[in-house]
């Protein structure tokens, strides 16, 4: 087995973060994202798993703690933006409905 490089580890972690983001983006029913507790639990579980993967990479010395924290905070920030977009879309739809 080849030794694990830092670049490869970060690439794998970034791929996992992208997979979680796609999970939310691909959710066609935006109402579910904003109101479905089960979907929120899935996202929470995915985030927990990702944080454990990052923690493992830090503990075995593949990445530095600051790099791991950056990966987590970037994913959380992007997920918050996605959620905000969905909530704003739903708000805009309600406001348009009031005008009619």
């Amino acid at each position: 087995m080849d030794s694990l490089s830092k670049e490869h580890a970060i690439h794998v972690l970034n791929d996992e973060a992208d997979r979680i983001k796609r999970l939310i983006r691909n959710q066609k029913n935006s109402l579910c994202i904003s109101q479905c507790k089960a979907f929120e639990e899935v996202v929470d579980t995915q985030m927990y798993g990702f944080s454990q993967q990052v923690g493992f990479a830090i503990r075995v010395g593949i990445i530095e703690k600051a790099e791991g924290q950056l990966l987590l905070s970037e994913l959380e920030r992007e997920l918050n933006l996605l959620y905000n977009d969905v909530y704003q879309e739903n708000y805009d739809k309600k406001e348009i409905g009031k005008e009619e």
Side-chain angles (χ1 to χ4, degrees):
M1 183 172 136
D2 294 332
S3 64
L4 184 61
S5 72
K6 179 178 181 174
E7 292 79 20
H8 182 68
I10 290 173
H11 177 74
V12 169
L13 290 170
N14 280 325
D15 283 350
E16 182 65 12
D18 289 341
R19 186 189 63 75
I20 294 169
K21 288 181 267 187
R22 277 191 310 274
L23 173 72
I24 293 176
R25 281 191 197 113
N26 290 338
Q27 181 63 27
K28 299 295 184 200
N29 182 355
S30 62
L31 188 60
C32 183
I33 288 177
S34 63
Q35 297 179 351
C36 184
K37 294 295 178 192
F39 186 75
E40 289 179 17
E41 288 181 23
V42 168
V43 173
D44 288 345
T45 301
Q46 295 294 317
M47 284 298 298
Y48 175 77
F50 182 69
S51 70
Q52 292 301 300
Q53 291 172 337
V54 169
F56 177 77
I58 292 168
R59 286 191 302 280
V60 297
I62 296 172
I63 63 173
E64 298 294 320
K65 186 175 182 177
E67 291 171 303
Q69 289 172 336
L70 182 61
L71 286 169
L72 286 168
S73 66
E74 285 177 353
L75 178 57
E76 288 173 351
R77 182 183 52 76
E78 289 187 46
L79 291 178
N80 282 333
L81 289 173
L82 287 170
Y83 272 107
N84 286 338
D85 287 347
V86 167
Y87 283 109
Q88 187 62 48
E89 245 178 60
N90 286 335
Y91 177 80
D92 291 346
K93 286 178 186 176
K94 288 178 185 175
E95 289 301 309
I96 289 173
K98 288 180 183 177
E99 293 173 359
E100 295 175 353

mmCIF file of all heavy atoms in Angstrom, residues 31-60:
data_model
loop_
_atom_site.group_PDB
_atom_site.id
_atom_site.type_symbol
_atom_site.label_atom_id
_atom_site.label_comp_id
_atom_site.label_asym_id
_atom_site.label_seq_id
_atom_site.Cartn_x
_atom_site.Cartn_y
_atom_site.Cartn_z
ATOM 1 N N LEU A 31 -39.292 22.637 0.057
ATOM 2 C CA LEU A 31 -40.145 22.705 1.235
ATOM 3 C C LEU A 31 -39.678 21.697 2.272
ATOM 4 O O LEU A 31 -39.705 21.966 3.464
ATOM 5 C CB LEU A 31 -41.601 22.448 0.848
ATOM 6 C CG LEU A 31 -42.644 22.661 1.926
ATOM 7 C CD1 LEU A 31 -42.601 24.110 2.423
ATOM 8 C CD2 LEU A 31 -44.024 22.335 1.396
ATOM 9 N N CYS A 32 -39.223 20.536 1.802
ATOM 10 C CA CYS A 32 -38.734 19.513 2.724
ATOM 11 C C CYS A 32 -37.488 20.012 3.457
ATOM 12 O O CYS A 32 -37.350 19.803 4.647
ATOM 13 C CB CYS A 32 -38.423 18.209 1.989
ATOM 14 S SG CYS A 32 -37.891 16.882 3.088
ATOM 15 N N ILE A 33 -36.598 20.667 2.745
ATOM 16 C CA ILE A 33 -35.380 21.180 3.381
ATOM 17 C C ILE A 33 -35.740 22.133 4.505
ATOM 18 O O ILE A 33 -35.155 22.097 5.580
ATOM 19 C CB ILE A 33 -34.466 21.887 2.356
ATOM 20 C CG1 ILE A 33 -33.831 20.852 1.430
ATOM 21 C CG2 ILE A 33 -33.384 22.692 3.056
ATOM 22 C CD1 ILE A 33 -32.966 21.455 0.345
ATOM 23 N N SER A 34 -36.735 22.968 4.284
ATOM 24 C CA SER A 34 -37.041 23.990 5.273
ATOM 25 C C SER A 34 -37.969 23.502 6.375
ATOM 26 O O SER A 34 -38.071 24.147 7.407
ATOM 27 C CB SER A 34 -37.644 25.221 4.592
ATOM 28 O OG SER A 34 -38.863 24.887 3.968
ATOM 29 N N GLN A 35 -38.648 22.362 6.176
ATOM 30 C CA GLN A 35 -39.616 21.928 7.178
ATOM 31 C C GLN A 35 -39.465 20.474 7.621
ATOM 32 O O GLN A 35 -40.135 20.063 8.549
ATOM 33 C CB GLN A 35 -41.036 22.129 6.643
ATOM 34 C CG GLN A 35 -41.359 23.575 6.383
ATOM 35 C CD GLN A 35 -42.759 23.759 5.818
ATOM 36 O OE1 GLN A 35 -43.435 22.818 5.472
ATOM 37 N NE2 GLN A 35 -43.189 25.007 5.732
ATOM 38 N N CYS A 36 -38.643 19.712 6.975
ATOM 39 C CA CYS A 36 -38.575 18.282 7.230
ATOM 40 C C CYS A 36 -37.487 17.959 8.260
ATOM 41 O O CYS A 36 -36.298 18.092 7.976
ATOM 42 C CB CYS A 36 -38.307 17.545 5.923
ATOM 43 S SG CYS A 36 -38.299 15.764 6.078
ATOM 44 N N LYS A 37 -37.898 17.538 9.446
ATOM 45 C CA LYS A 37 -36.940 17.218 10.506
ATOM 46 C C LYS A 37 -36.074 16.032 10.128
ATOM 47 O O LYS A 37 -34.897 15.980 10.488
ATOM 48 C CB LYS A 37 -37.672 16.932 11.823
ATOM 49 C CG LYS A 37 -38.392 18.136 12.383
ATOM 50 C CD LYS A 37 -37.423 19.209 12.786
ATOM 51 C CE LYS A 37 -38.158 20.429 13.304
ATOM 52 N NZ LYS A 37 -37.316 21.577 13.436
ATOM 53 N N ALA A 38 -36.641 15.071 9.395
ATOM 54 C CA ALA A 38 -35.865 13.895 8.997
ATOM 55 C C ALA A 38 -34.697 14.305 8.108
ATOM 56 O O ALA A 38 -33.583 13.790 8.253
ATOM 57 C CB ALA A 38 -36.756 12.882 8.286
ATOM 58 N N PHE A 39 -34.931 15.244 7.190
ATOM 59 C CA PHE A 39 -33.855 15.697 6.310
ATOM 60 C C PHE A 39 -32.779 16.413 7.120
ATOM 61 O O PHE A 39 -31.588 16.218 6.896
ATOM 62 C CB PHE A 39 -34.393 16.605 5.204
ATOM 63 C CG PHE A 39 -33.345 16.980 4.209
ATOM 64 C CD1 PHE A 39 -32.913 16.063 3.264
ATOM 65 C CD2 PHE A 39 -32.763 18.231 4.225
ATOM 66 C CE1 PHE A 39 -31.924 16.386 2.350
ATOM 67 C CE2 PHE A 39 -31.779 18.568 3.313
ATOM 68 C CZ PHE A 39 -31.366 17.637 2.380
ATOM 69 N N GLU A 40 -33.192 17.221 8.087
ATOM 70 C CA GLU A 40 -32.222 17.907 8.951
ATOM 71 C C GLU A 40 -31.367 16.907 9.712
ATOM 72 O O GLU A 40 -30.171 17.107 9.879
ATOM 73 C CB GLU A 40 -32.943 18.839 9.924
ATOM 74 C CG GLU A 40 -33.533 20.064 9.270
ATOM 75 C CD GLU A 40 -34.266 20.951 10.260
ATOM 76 O OE1 GLU A 40 -34.059 20.805 11.476
ATOM 77 O OE2 GLU A 40 -35.055 21.796 9.800
ATOM 78 N N GLU A 41 -31.983 15.811 10.154
ATOM 79 C CA GLU A 41 -31.231 14.780 10.877
ATOM 80 C C GLU A 41 -30.224 14.095 9.960
ATOM 81 O O GLU A 41 -29.119 13.775 10.393
ATOM 82 C CB GLU A 41 -32.188 13.770 11.495
ATOM 83 C CG GLU A 41 -32.944 14.346 12.681
ATOM 84 C CD GLU A 41 -33.881 13.346 13.329
ATOM 85 O OE1 GLU A 41 -33.663 12.128 13.167
ATOM 86 O OE2 GLU A 41 -34.818 13.787 14.006
ATOM 87 N N VAL A 42 -30.601 13.883 8.700
ATOM 88 C CA VAL A 42 -29.669 13.288 7.743
ATOM 89 C C VAL A 42 -28.461 14.209 7.567
ATOM 90 O O VAL A 42 -27.314 13.758 7.604
ATOM 91 C CB VAL A 42 -30.356 13.023 6.385
ATOM 92 C CG1 VAL A 42 -29.340 12.687 5.302
ATOM 93 C CG2 VAL A 42 -31.383 11.910 6.519
ATOM 94 N N VAL A 43 -28.715 15.497 7.397
ATOM 95 C CA VAL A 43 -27.618 16.453 7.226
ATOM 96 C C VAL A 43 -26.754 16.499 8.490
ATOM 97 O O VAL A 43 -25.522 16.472 8.406
ATOM 98 C CB VAL A 43 -28.150 17.859 6.870
ATOM 99 C CG1 VAL A 43 -27.024 18.883 6.863
ATOM 100 C CG2 VAL A 43 -28.837 17.829 5.522
ATOM 101 N N ASP A 44 -27.393 16.513 9.664
ATOM 102 C CA ASP A 44 -26.637 16.513 10.919
ATOM 103 C C ASP A 44 -25.758 15.266 11.027
ATOM 104 O O ASP A 44 -24.602 15.339 11.446
ATOM 105 C CB ASP A 44 -27.572 16.585 12.124
ATOM 106 C CG ASP A 44 -28.215 17.941 12.292
ATOM 107 O OD1 ASP A 44 -27.738 18.917 11.658
ATOM 108 O OD2 ASP A 44 -29.193 18.044 13.052
ATOM 109 N N THR A 45 -26.311 14.123 10.628
ATOM 110 C CA THR A 45 -25.549 12.871 10.673
ATOM 111 C C THR A 45 -24.370 12.924 9.712
ATOM 112 O O THR A 45 -23.257 12.507 10.054
ATOM 113 C CB THR A 45 -26.465 11.674 10.326
ATOM 114 O OG1 THR A 45 -27.531 11.638 11.267
ATOM 115 C CG2 THR A 45 -25.710 10.366 10.356
ATOM 116 N N GLN A 46 -24.597 13.468 8.509
ATOM 117 C CA GLN A 46 -23.518 13.598 7.531
ATOM 118 C C GLN A 46 -22.423 14.525 8.054
ATOM 119 O O GLN A 46 -21.235 14.237 7.915
ATOM 120 C CB GLN A 46 -24.061 14.125 6.198
ATOM 121 C CG GLN A 46 -25.005 13.189 5.506
ATOM 122 C CD GLN A 46 -24.331 11.920 5.042
ATOM 123 O OE1 GLN A 46 -23.219 11.953 4.507
ATOM 124 N NE2 GLN A 46 -24.973 10.802 5.251
ATOM 125 N N MET A 47 -22.836 15.628 8.657
ATOM 126 C CA MET A 47 -21.862 16.578 9.213
ATOM 127 C C MET A 47 -21.069 15.939 10.353
ATOM 128 O O MET A 47 -19.861 16.148 10.466
ATOM 129 C CB MET A 47 -22.565 17.844 9.706
ATOM 130 C CG MET A 47 -22.997 18.778 8.599
ATOM 131 S SD MET A 47 -21.619 19.407 7.622
ATOM 132 C CE MET A 47 -20.697 20.309 8.857
ATOM 133 N N TYR A 48 -21.747 15.174 11.194
ATOM 134 C CA TYR A 48 -21.056 14.496 12.291
ATOM 135 C C TYR A 48 -20.023 13.520 11.726
ATOM 136 O O TYR A 48 -18.875 13.490 12.179
ATOM 137 C CB TYR A 48 -22.058 13.760 13.192
ATOM 138 C CG TYR A 48 -21.376 12.958 14.260
ATOM 139 C CD1 TYR A 48 -20.842 13.593 15.383
ATOM 140 C CD2 TYR A 48 -21.251 11.583 14.148
ATOM 141 C CE1 TYR A 48 -20.198 12.864 16.362
ATOM 142 C CE2 TYR A 48 -20.609 10.848 15.127
ATOM 143 C CZ TYR A 48 -20.080 11.491 16.232
ATOM 144 O OH TYR A 48 -19.429 10.757 17.194
ATOM 145 N N GLY A 49 -20.427 12.740 10.733
ATOM 146 C CA GLY A 49 -19.498 11.791 10.122
ATOM 147 C C GLY A 49 -18.298 12.495 9.514
ATOM 148 O O GLY A 49 -17.155 12.041 9.658
ATOM 149 N N PHE A 50 -18.563 13.611 8.843
ATOM 150 C CA PHE A 50 -17.471 14.366 8.237
ATOM 151 C C PHE A 50 -16.532 14.907 9.310
ATOM 152 O O PHE A 50 -15.310 14.837 9.170
ATOM 153 C CB PHE A 50 -18.027 15.501 7.376
ATOM 154 C CG PHE A 50 -16.966 16.296 6.669
ATOM 155 C CD1 PHE A 50 -16.229 15.737 5.640
ATOM 156 C CD2 PHE A 50 -16.702 17.606 7.020
ATOM 157 C CE1 PHE A 50 -15.256 16.455 4.971
ATOM 158 C CE2 PHE A 50 -15.731 18.344 6.362
ATOM 159 C CZ PHE A 50 -15.005 17.767 5.346
ATOM 160 N N SER A 51 -17.102 15.406 10.396
ATOM 161 C CA SER A 51 -16.249 15.938 11.465
ATOM 162 C C SER A 51 -15.394 14.833 12.083
ATOM 163 O O SER A 51 -14.248 15.070 12.457
ATOM 164 C CB SER A 51 -17.082 16.641 12.537
ATOM 165 O OG SER A 51 -17.837 15.715 13.278
ATOM 166 N N GLN A 52 -15.932 13.614 12.145
ATOM 167 C CA GLN A 52 -15.154 12.486 12.656
ATOM 168 C C GLN A 52 -14.020 12.127 11.699
ATOM 169 O O GLN A 52 -12.911 11.805 12.142
ATOM 170 C CB GLN A 52 -16.064 11.272 12.875
ATOM 171 C CG GLN A 52 -17.071 11.459 13.998
ATOM 172 C CD GLN A 52 -16.395 11.743 15.323
ATOM 173 O OE1 GLN A 52 -15.612 10.941 15.819
ATOM 174 N NE2 GLN A 52 -16.681 12.898 15.896
ATOM 175 N N GLN A 53 -14.279 12.187 10.404
ATOM 176 C CA GLN A 53 -13.233 11.920 9.423
ATOM 177 C C GLN A 53 -12.120 12.960 9.519
ATOM 178 O O GLN A 53 -10.933 12.615 9.474
ATOM 179 C CB GLN A 53 -13.814 11.902 8.011
ATOM 180 C CG GLN A 53 -14.723 10.730 7.749
ATOM 181 C CD GLN A 53 -15.433 10.843 6.418
ATOM 182 O OE1 GLN A 53 -15.602 11.926 5.870
ATOM 183 N NE2 GLN A 53 -15.862 9.705 5.887
ATOM 184 N N VAL A 54 -12.513 14.206 9.656
ATOM 185 C CA VAL A 54 -11.533 15.282 9.793
ATOM 186 C C VAL A 54 -10.740 15.087 11.088
ATOM 187 O O VAL A 54 -9.515 15.201 11.098
ATOM 188 C CB VAL A 54 -12.211 16.672 9.760
ATOM 189 C CG1 VAL A 54 -11.242 17.767 10.163
ATOM 190 C CG2 VAL A 54 -12.789 16.945 8.370
ATOM 191 N N GLY A 55 -11.450 14.760 12.166
ATOM 192 C CA GLY A 55 -10.777 14.521 13.449
ATOM 193 C C GLY A 55 -9.772 13.386 13.369
ATOM 194 O O GLY A 55 -8.669 13.471 13.923
ATOM 195 N N PHE A 56 -10.139 12.332 12.673
ATOM 196 C CA PHE A 56 -9.213 11.209 12.491
ATOM 197 C C PHE A 56 -7.971 11.651 11.723
ATOM 198 O O PHE A 56 -6.847 11.329 12.108
ATOM 199 C CB PHE A 56 -9.913 10.055 11.770
ATOM 200 C CG PHE A 56 -9.006 8.897 11.479
ATOM 201 C CD1 PHE A 56 -8.661 8.006 12.490
ATOM 202 C CD2 PHE A 56 -8.487 8.706 10.206
ATOM 203 C CE1 PHE A 56 -7.817 6.943 12.230
ATOM 204 C CE2 PHE A 56 -7.642 7.641 9.940
ATOM 205 C CZ PHE A 56 -7.305 6.756 10.951
ATOM 206 N N ALA A 57 -8.172 12.395 10.639
ATOM 207 C CA ALA A 57 -7.042 12.872 9.837
ATOM 208 C C ALA A 57 -6.114 13.747 10.679
ATOM 209 O O ALA A 57 -4.890 13.676 10.532
ATOM 210 C CB ALA A 57 -7.547 13.633 8.611
ATOM 211 N N ILE A 58 -6.687 14.528 11.575
ATOM 212 C CA ILE A 58 -5.869 15.376 12.460
ATOM 213 C C ILE A 58 -5.106 14.497 13.453
ATOM 214 O O ILE A 58 -3.901 14.667 13.648
ATOM 215 C CB ILE A 58 -6.751 16.402 13.207
ATOM 216 C CG1 ILE A 58 -7.319 17.426 12.217
ATOM 217 C CG2 ILE A 58 -5.966 17.085 14.323
ATOM 218 C CD1 ILE A 58 -8.426 18.302 12.801
ATOM 219 N N ARG A 59 -5.796 13.548 14.071
ATOM 220 C CA ARG A 59 -5.171 12.696 15.097
ATOM 221 C C ARG A 59 -4.013 11.865 14.548
ATOM 222 O O ARG A 59 -3.037 11.640 15.253
ATOM 223 C CB ARG A 59 -6.202 11.785 15.743
ATOM 224 C CG ARG A 59 -7.123 12.514 16.692
ATOM 225 C CD ARG A 59 -7.965 11.565 17.536
ATOM 226 N NE ARG A 59 -8.789 10.651 16.763
ATOM 227 C CZ ARG A 59 -9.960 10.938 16.197
ATOM 228 N NH1 ARG A 59 -10.458 12.157 16.317
ATOM 229 N NH2 ARG A 59 -10.631 10.029 15.522
ATOM 230 N N VAL A 60 -4.134 11.395 13.317
ATOM 231 C CA VAL A 60 -3.051 10.583 12.759
ATOM 232 C C VAL A 60 -1.976 11.437 12.094
ATOM 233 O O VAL A 60 -1.004 10.909 11.565
ATOM 234 C CB VAL A 60 -3.570 9.487 11.794
ATOM 235 C CG1 VAL A 60 -4.459 8.507 12.519
ATOM 236 C CG2 VAL A 60 -4.247 10.070 10.584
#
